[in-house]
Amino acid sequence: LGHIHDDNEDWLERLLKSRADGDFDQEITLADGRIIRIMDRVLAGGWRIGTRVDVTDLRNQEQEARATVNRLTSAIESLPDAVFILDEEGRFVLANPQVRKIFPLMSDTVNTGSHFADMLRIGIARGAYPEAVGREEEWLAEALAFWHEPRQKVERTVRLANGRWVM
Protein backbone atom coordinates (compact mmCIF):
# COMPACT_ATOMS: atom_id res chain seq x y z
CA LEU A 1 0.00 0.00 0.00
CA GLY A 2 2.85 2.32 0.94
CA HIS A 3 2.20 5.79 -0.47
CA ILE A 4 -1.15 7.46 -1.16
CA HIS A 5 -1.25 8.90 -4.66
CA ASP A 6 -3.85 11.07 -6.39
CA ASP A 7 -6.02 8.02 -7.04
CA ASN A 8 -7.47 7.72 -3.54
CA GLU A 9 -10.31 5.45 -4.73
CA ASP A 10 -7.84 2.80 -5.95
CA TRP A 11 -5.79 3.09 -2.76
CA LEU A 12 -8.90 2.76 -0.58
CA GLU A 13 -10.03 -0.31 -2.53
CA ARG A 14 -6.63 -2.00 -2.01
CA LEU A 15 -6.71 -1.08 1.69
CA LEU A 16 -10.16 -2.56 2.23
CA LYS A 17 -9.27 -5.72 0.30
CA SER A 18 -6.13 -6.32 2.39
CA ARG A 19 -8.09 -5.74 5.62
CA ALA A 20 -10.70 -8.32 4.57
CA ASP A 21 -8.02 -11.02 4.76
CA GLY A 22 -7.78 -10.72 8.58
CA ASP A 23 -5.24 -8.94 10.76
CA PHE A 24 -3.69 -5.91 9.15
CA ASP A 25 -0.55 -3.91 9.97
CA GLN A 26 0.66 -1.36 7.45
CA GLU A 27 2.43 1.99 7.33
CA ILE A 28 1.34 4.52 4.76
CA THR A 29 2.79 7.85 3.74
CA LEU A 30 0.15 10.52 3.31
CA ALA A 31 0.32 13.20 0.65
CA ASP A 32 1.41 15.73 3.29
CA GLY A 33 4.42 13.54 4.21
CA ARG A 34 3.06 12.15 7.48
CA ILE A 35 3.55 8.42 8.08
CA ILE A 36 0.60 6.62 9.65
CA ARG A 37 0.69 3.08 11.03
CA ILE A 38 -2.65 1.31 10.65
CA MET A 39 -3.17 -1.78 12.77
CA ASP A 40 -6.36 -3.85 12.76
CA ARG A 41 -6.89 -7.10 14.61
CA VAL A 42 -9.77 -9.51 14.21
CA LEU A 43 -11.22 -10.53 17.57
CA ALA A 44 -13.45 -13.40 18.59
CA GLY A 45 -16.99 -13.11 17.28
CA GLY A 46 -15.89 -11.19 14.22
CA TRP A 47 -15.19 -7.98 16.09
CA ARG A 48 -12.33 -5.86 14.88
CA ILE A 49 -10.14 -3.44 16.82
CA GLY A 50 -8.03 -0.88 15.04
CA THR A 51 -5.53 1.83 15.79
CA ARG A 52 -4.04 4.59 13.75
CA VAL A 53 -0.75 6.07 14.98
CA ASP A 54 1.27 8.92 13.51
CA VAL A 55 4.83 7.51 13.42
CA THR A 56 6.35 10.32 11.37
CA ASP A 57 8.62 11.62 14.16
CA LEU A 58 9.71 8.09 15.09
CA ARG A 59 10.63 7.21 11.50
CA ASN A 60 12.49 10.52 11.09
CA GLN A 61 14.44 9.85 14.31
CA GLU A 62 15.25 6.33 13.11
CA GLN A 63 16.52 7.75 9.82
CA GLU A 64 18.68 10.30 11.66
CA ALA A 65 20.04 7.58 13.95
CA ARG A 66 20.94 5.39 10.94
CA ALA A 67 22.72 8.34 9.31
CA THR A 68 24.66 9.00 12.52
CA VAL A 69 25.67 5.34 12.83
CA ASN A 70 26.75 5.33 9.17
CA ARG A 71 28.93 8.42 9.71
CA LEU A 72 30.47 6.94 12.86
CA THR A 73 31.11 3.60 11.13
CA SER A 74 32.70 5.35 8.16
CA ALA A 75 34.94 7.40 10.45
CA ILE A 76 36.05 4.35 12.46
CA GLU A 77 36.71 2.30 9.34
CA SER A 78 38.94 5.04 7.93
CA LEU A 79 41.19 5.27 11.01
CA PRO A 80 44.76 4.00 10.62
CA ASP A 81 44.63 2.27 14.02
CA ALA A 82 42.72 -0.89 14.80
CA VAL A 83 39.44 -0.04 16.49
CA PHE A 84 36.64 -2.31 17.58
CA ILE A 85 33.53 -1.88 19.65
CA LEU A 86 32.07 -4.62 21.84
CA ASP A 87 28.58 -4.71 23.27
CA GLU A 88 27.89 -5.36 26.95
CA GLU A 89 28.01 -9.12 26.32
CA GLY A 90 31.42 -9.00 24.65
CA ARG A 91 30.21 -9.37 21.05
CA PHE A 92 31.69 -7.40 18.18
CA VAL A 93 29.46 -4.53 17.14
CA LEU A 94 32.03 -3.00 14.83
CA ALA A 95 35.62 -3.68 13.83
CA ASN A 96 37.52 -1.70 11.26
CA PRO A 97 39.68 -3.45 8.61
CA GLN A 98 42.88 -2.73 10.55
CA VAL A 99 41.74 -5.15 13.30
CA ARG A 100 41.87 -8.00 10.79
CA LYS A 101 45.30 -6.85 9.55
CA ILE A 102 46.79 -6.70 13.04
CA PHE A 103 45.30 -10.06 14.04
CA PRO A 104 45.70 -12.07 10.81
CA LEU A 105 45.51 -15.45 12.57
CA MET A 106 42.04 -14.59 13.85
CA SER A 107 40.79 -12.31 11.07
CA ASP A 108 38.05 -14.79 10.19
CA THR A 109 36.65 -14.54 13.74
CA VAL A 110 36.19 -10.76 13.78
CA ASN A 111 32.57 -10.50 12.68
CA THR A 112 29.57 -8.57 13.93
CA GLY A 113 27.92 -10.66 16.62
CA SER A 114 30.97 -12.87 17.26
CA HIS A 115 32.24 -13.03 20.81
CA PHE A 116 35.57 -11.43 21.64
CA ALA A 117 36.30 -14.33 24.00
CA ASP A 118 35.93 -16.77 21.10
CA MET A 119 38.40 -14.72 19.06
CA LEU A 120 40.90 -14.94 21.92
CA ARG A 121 40.36 -18.70 22.33
CA ILE A 122 40.87 -19.29 18.61
CA GLY A 123 43.92 -17.03 18.68
CA ILE A 124 45.38 -19.09 21.52
CA ALA A 125 44.68 -22.32 19.62
CA ARG A 126 46.32 -20.91 16.48
CA GLY A 127 49.40 -19.72 18.35
CA ALA A 128 48.75 -15.99 18.03
CA TYR A 129 49.69 -15.22 21.64
CA PRO A 130 53.10 -16.61 22.62
CA GLU A 131 52.65 -15.50 26.24
CA ALA A 132 49.63 -17.81 26.53
CA VAL A 133 51.59 -20.98 25.70
CA GLY A 134 51.48 -23.38 28.64
CA ARG A 135 49.04 -21.19 30.58
CA GLU A 136 46.21 -20.85 28.11
CA GLU A 137 43.25 -20.71 30.53
CA GLU A 138 45.03 -18.35 32.92
CA TRP A 139 46.03 -16.03 30.05
CA LEU A 140 42.48 -16.06 28.70
CA ALA A 141 41.06 -15.27 32.16
CA GLU A 142 43.50 -12.35 32.53
CA ALA A 143 42.68 -11.03 29.08
CA LEU A 144 38.93 -11.19 29.68
CA ALA A 145 39.21 -9.69 33.18
CA PHE A 146 41.03 -6.72 31.64
CA TRP A 147 37.95 -5.88 29.57
CA HIS A 148 35.65 -5.97 32.57
CA GLU A 149 37.67 -3.86 35.01
CA PRO A 150 36.29 -0.35 35.44
CA ARG A 151 39.06 2.19 35.14
CA GLN A 152 39.78 5.62 33.77
CA LYS A 153 42.58 4.58 31.44
CA VAL A 154 42.30 1.37 29.45
CA GLU A 155 45.69 0.13 28.35
CA ARG A 156 47.14 -3.33 27.89
CA THR A 157 50.10 -4.46 25.81
CA VAL A 158 50.12 -7.89 24.16
CA ARG A 159 52.85 -9.55 22.11
CA LEU A 160 51.67 -11.38 18.99
CA ALA A 161 53.30 -14.38 17.31
CA ASN A 162 54.34 -12.24 14.33
CA GLY A 163 56.58 -10.19 16.66
CA ARG A 164 54.25 -7.22 16.76
CA TRP A 165 53.29 -5.61 20.04
CA VAL A 166 49.71 -4.36 20.34
CA MET A 167 48.51 -1.86 22.91
Side-chain angles (χ1 to χ4, degrees):
L1 292 174
H3 193 59
I4 297 178
H5 298 287
D6 292 335
D7 188 1
N8 287 336
E9 294 295 324
D10 181 50
W11 175 85
L12 183 57
E13 184 178 322
R14 285 182 294 152
L15 172 67
L16 293 174
K17 182 179 181 309
S18 63
R19 286 183 68 227
D21 295 335
D23 290 351
F24 178 81
D25 190 341
Q26 181 74 44
E27 286 188 8
I28 60 169
T29 302
L30 302 178
D32 64 2
R34 288 181 298 139
I35 303 169
I36 306 297
R37 183 173 182 190
I38 302 171
M39 296 170 284
D40 286 352
R41 299 289 178 255
V42 178
L43 304 175
W47 288 87
R48 183 180 287 273
I49 186 168
T51 60
R52 309 301 181 259
V53 180
D54 187 332
V55 295
T56 307
D57 290 342
L58 177 63
R59 295 300 172 253
N60 288 340
Q61 291 168 359
E62 288 172 346
Q63 186 175 354
E64 288 174 25
R66 279 191 300 275
T68 299
V69 167
N70 289 339
R71 284 191 297 275
L72 176 62
T73 300
S74 179
I76 289 172
E77 288 181 350
S78 68
L79 292 172
D81 296 324
V83 177
F84 59 89
I85 299 173
L86 304 175
D87 67 12
E88 57 279 347
E89 295 176 17
R91 292 181 304 233
F92 284 97
V93 174
L94 176 68
N96 68 359
Q98 288 74 2
V99 173
R100 289 171 184 82
K101 289 178 185 174
I102 288 177
F103 299 101
L105 294 176
M106 296 92 70
S107 64
D108 60 319
T109 68
V110 181
N111 302 302
T112 302
S114 297
H115 283 271
F116 180 69
D118 293 338
M119 184 197 90
L120 293 176
R121 281 185 191 92
I122 291 169
I124 291 169
R126 293 178 181 173
Y129 305 109
E131 295 173 3
V133 175
R135 54 184 296 271
E136 290 81 359
E137 290 303 316
E138 183 182 351
W139 187 93
L140 180 62
E142 290 168 3
L144 292 175
F146 168 81
W147 291 99
H148 296 287
E149 292 176 14
R151 62 178 103 48
Q152 297 259 343
K153 187 175 181 182
V154 178
E155 191 174 296
R156 181 169 190 253
T157 305
V158 177
R159 183 170 57 100
L160 301 179
N162 61 9
R164 182 178 278 177
W165 286 86
V166 178
M167 182 176 4

